Coordinates of all heavy atoms in Angstrom, one line a residue:
I1059 N 62.8 65.0 91.6 CA 63.0 66.4 91.1 C 62.8 66.3 89.6 O 63.6 65.6 88.9 CB 64.3 67.0 91.4 CG1 64.5 67.0 93.0 CG2 64.5 68.4 90.9 CD1 65.8 67.5 93.4
W1061 N 62.4 68.5 85.9 CA 62.7 69.8 85.2 C 61.8 69.9 84.0 O 61.7 69.0 83.2 CB 64.1 69.9 84.8 CG 65.1 69.8 86.0 CD1 65.6 68.7 86.5 CD2 65.6 70.9 86.7 NE1 66.4 69.0 87.6 CE2 66.5 70.4 87.7 CE3 65.5 72.3 86.6 CZ2 67.1 71.2 88.6 CZ3 66.1 73.1 87.5 CH2 67.0 72.5 88.5
F1071 N 72.4 67.9 84.3 CA 73.3 69.0 84.6 C 72.7 69.9 85.6 O 73.4 70.4 86.5 CB 73.7 69.7 83.3 CG 74.5 71.0 83.5 CD1 75.9 70.9 83.6 CD2 73.9 72.2 83.6 CE1 76.7 72.0 83.9 CE2 74.7 73.4 83.8 CZ 76.1 73.2 83.9
L1072 N 71.4 70.3 85.4 CA 70.7 71.2 86.3 C 70.6 70.6 87.7 O 70.7 71.3 88.7 CB 69.4 71.6 85.7 CG 69.4 72.4 84.5 CD1 68.0 72.6 83.9 CD2 70.0 73.8 84.7
T1073 N 70.3 69.3 87.8 CA 70.2 68.6 89.1 C 71.6 68.7 89.8 O 71.7 68.9 91.0 CB 69.8 67.2 88.9 OG1 68.5 67.2 88.3 CG2 69.7 66.5 90.3
E1074 N 72.7 68.4 89.1 CA 74.0 68.5 89.7 C 74.3 69.9 90.1 O 74.9 70.2 91.2 CB 75.0 68.0 88.7 CG 76.5 68.0 89.2 CD 77.5 67.5 88.2 OE1 77.1 67.1 87.1 OE2 78.7 67.6 88.5
K1075 N 73.9 70.9 89.3 CA 74.1 72.3 89.6 C 73.3 72.7 90.8 O 73.8 73.5 91.7 CB 73.8 73.2 88.4 CG 74.2 74.7 88.6 CD 75.7 74.8 88.4 CE 76.1 76.2 88.3 NZ 77.5 76.4 88.2
L1076 N 72.1 72.2 90.9 CA 71.3 72.5 92.1 C 71.9 72.0 93.4 O 71.7 72.7 94.4 CB 69.9 71.8 91.9 CG 68.8 72.0 92.9 CD1 68.4 73.5 93.0 CD2 67.6 71.2 92.7
G1077 N 72.6 70.9 93.3 CA 73.3 70.4 94.6 C 72.3 69.8 95.5 O 72.7 69.6 96.7
I1078 N 71.1 69.4 95.1 CA 70.1 68.8 95.9 C 69.6 67.5 95.2 O 69.3 67.6 94.0 CB 68.9 69.7 96.2 CG1 69.4 71.0 96.9 CG2 67.9 69.0 97.1 CD1 68.3 72.1 97.1
K1079 N 69.7 66.4 95.9 CA 69.3 65.2 95.2 C 68.3 64.4 96.0 O 67.9 64.8 97.1 CB 70.6 64.3 95.1 CG 71.3 63.9 96.4 CD 72.5 63.2 96.1 CE 73.2 62.7 97.4 NZ 73.6 63.9 98.3
D1082 N 67.5 63.8 100.0 CA 67.9 64.9 100.9 C 66.7 65.4 101.7 O 65.6 65.3 101.3 CB 68.5 66.0 100.1 CG 69.9 65.7 99.6 OD1 70.4 64.7 99.9 OD2 70.4 66.6 98.8
R1088 N 67.1 76.4 101.5 CA 68.2 76.0 100.6 C 67.8 75.9 99.2 O 68.5 76.2 98.3 CB 68.8 74.7 101.1 CG 70.0 74.3 100.3 CD 70.8 73.2 101.1 NE 72.0 72.9 100.3 CZ 72.2 71.7 99.7 NH1 71.2 70.8 99.7 NH2 73.3 71.5 99.0
R1092 N 69.4 78.0 96.2 CA 70.1 77.4 95.1 C 69.4 77.6 93.7 O 70.1 77.5 92.7 CB 70.2 75.8 95.3 CG 71.0 75.4 96.5 CD 72.4 75.9 96.4 NE 73.0 75.3 95.2 CZ 74.1 75.8 94.5 NH1 74.6 77.0 94.9 NH2 74.6 75.2 93.5
D1101 N 76.8 80.6 92.7 CA 76.8 79.3 91.9 C 75.4 78.7 92.0 O 75.3 77.6 92.6 CB 77.9 78.4 92.4 CG 78.1 77.2 91.5 OD1 77.7 77.3 90.4 OD2 78.5 76.1 92.0
I1103 N 71.2 78.4 90.1 CA 70.6 78.2 88.8 C 70.3 79.6 88.1 O 70.5 79.8 86.9 CB 69.3 77.4 88.9 CG1 69.5 76.1 89.5 CG2 68.6 77.2 87.5 CD1 70.5 75.2 88.7

Side-chain angles (χ1 to χ4, degrees):
I1059 300 177
W1061 299 86
F1071 176 82
L1072 291 175
T1073 301
E1074 182 180 356
K1075 191 74 174 179
L1076 181 65
I1078 301 172
K1079 59 184 182 299
D1082 286 353
R1088 184 163 182 254
R1092 297 298 302 153
D1101 187 25
I1103 304 298

